[in-house]
Amino acid sequence: MRMKKNILFMIGMAAGLVSSAVAQECSYDGMVTIVPVRLEQAGDSLYIEMDFVLDDVKVKSARGFDFIPQLTSPSATYNLPRVSIKGPNEYLAHERKLALMSKKELQHYEKPYLLKKGGRRMEGAIRYRYALPYEPWMKEARLDVQRDECGCGETALMAVEQVVDKVTLEYIPVPYVMTPHMAYVEPKVESVKNREIQTEAFLDFEVNKTNIRPEYMNNPRELAKIRAMIDELKSDDGIRINRLNIIGYASPEGTLESNKRLSEGRAMALRDYLAACYDFPRNQYHILFGGENWEGFVQALDTIDMNAKAEVLAIIEHTPIERGRETKLMQLRGGVPYRYLLKKHVPRFACRHLQGELLYQELQCGRG
């Protein structure tokens, strides 16, 4: 008899939960549809993309609702930043609550992907684009969304919608293994040996200007570095400088056309500066545009610790420039990592690889 009582008690509790879930009042009029776009592993990152389509949605003034994306696998569950839409009064109450939080409370506050004030009827789509470091357990994960449509925050009352049933994994081809065969080729004797040396200089320019100010910021040190290289070569009687390539590189931000114009103009300014210091014929200078300095960008990333570093590197590695690499970086996590890099770590315009193509007189200096 005791066992029967226990069974009846458990059934009564379950029935109570179902009754509450059915009775909850939706905090908005209209319809919200979730459209999957992408759940894909690429490199070291997992990309989660979907659209929340709003159809004549109007939120009640003192209410709100949340959509909480989740990665769910047999071994783990991971909550992603939520989309939160609040009525005018509820939005103001939330703002006041944030303003009264202590520093410790703010540190534990889970910032939403989007917090939107919904005073009027809304149409259109909310684009959800998020990436995070890929971990092995995600291989078997699916993408769900918890719909807290009453705005009460009670997990037991939330409907759960499955959006994508599994992660798309990146195809990694089996590498082709080649066995090299060694062969010795005797080099030809050179009466005059052609060699090349190079140095890097990071010159500071005023915004959108191409003229060099030798005293400006770090320019005295960088220009001295260039002159020291040339002076050392000119002092060696066994070396004749035959050609100087000035290759201007641009930092990744901005349009390619604008970067090319600025880098070429600034490289020509460096040529004019050197022409005033040395007696090389004008036709020995050659101006080249080296492109956007993504290599320097990656080298700068290797020296720092920052959030979303793996995601930034994955975008650079897997997204070609012509397919919107910079746009994806600007959109990543609302643009916060991109703005941080621009402010702190993106290399400045670099007149890099000032190359002197040299003729080494073997008989005079015996250099190989």
Side-chain angles (χ1 to χ4, degrees), residues 78-92:
Y78 185 89
N79 283 346
L80 300 164
R82 69 185 59 205
V83 171
S84 184
I85 302 179
K86 299 183 181 298
N89 290 347
E90 178 69 9
Y91 184 88
L92 290 175

Side-chain angles (χ1 to χ4, degrees), residues 66-202:
D66 292 339
F67 292 125
I68 310 166
Q70 284 185 328
L71 288 176
T72 305
S73 79
S75 60
T77 298
Y78 185 89
N79 283 346
L80 300 164
R82 69 185 59 205
V83 171
S84 184
I85 302 179
K86 299 183 181 298
N89 290 347
E90 178 69 9
Y91 184 88
L92 290 175
H94 178 77
E95 291 290 298
R96 284 194 295 269
K97 181 180 177 181
L98 284 180
L100 294 174
M101 281 186 181
S102 64
K103 289 184 178 180
K104 185 176 181 180
E105 288 174 326
L106 286 172
Q107 288 175 351
H108 293 88
Y109 171 67
E110 295 182 3
K111 187 176 180 180
Y113 178 86
L114 173 70
L115 175 59
K116 187 176 180 66
K117 183 177 180 181
R120 299 179 179 178
R121 292 196 176 272
M122 295 177 290
E123 298 279 353
I126 297 173
R127 291 162 50 85
Y128 192 100
R129 303 292 184 266
Y130 195 77
L132 70 163
Y134 179 77
E135 298 178 11
W137 68 267
M138 298 176 183
K139 179 180 180 181
E140 299 178 350
R142 69 177 187 270
L143 177 62
D144 294 339
V145 173
Q146 287 186 313
R147 302 177 68 120
D148 184 7
E149 297 186 315
C150 66
C152 55
E154 293 291 339
T155 303
L157 304 182
M158 298 180 193
V160 178
E161 179 176 342
Q162 181 174 307
V163 180
V164 182
D165 61 353
K166 64 179 180 179
V167 173
T168 300
L169 299 176
E170 180 181 48
Y171 170 71
I172 303 176
V174 178
Y176 172 71
V177 179
M178 181 181 68
T179 304
H181 297 279
M182 303 301 294
Y184 173 74
V185 178
E186 184 175 355
K188 295 181 180 179
V189 177
E190 298 177 87
S191 58
V192 177
K193 292 189 176 182
N194 295 297
R195 297 293 184 268
E196 180 182 280
I197 68 167
Q198 64 185 28
T199 191
E200 293 183 353
F202 292 90

